[in-house]
Amino acid sequence: MSLTSTAHQLATLASGGGEGGGNHESLNPYVVGAGAFLALMLLLWITTRFNRDR
């Protein structure tokens, strides 16, 4: 695999010209974003519970 062919494949992938769109029909971006936000808030809460000495 040469550098030129690799660059071409990456450019095709980035432009969305590859097979499939990459998005599944059942994935709702708002639900995924809310789930990620809740997971991060849970991790933040757990971290602050372990750091009570400050």
Side-chain angles (χ1 to χ4, degrees):
M1 197 181 236
S2 69
L3 183 62
T4 307
S5 66
T6 304
H8 176 68
Q9 287 177 350
L10 288 175
T12 304
L13 181 65
S15 68
E19 296 108 15
N23 294 333
H24 198 270
E25 293 177 0
S26 66
L27 288 178
N28 185 350
Y30 294 112
V31 173
V32 173
F37 179 75
L38 289 175
L40 288 172
M41 289 296 106
L42 177 65
L43 288 173
L44 180 64
W45 182 79
I46 290 170
T47 303
T48 56
R49 296 304 105 194
F50 282 114
N51 196 13
R52 287 190 175 252
D53 58 338
R54 292 185 184 200

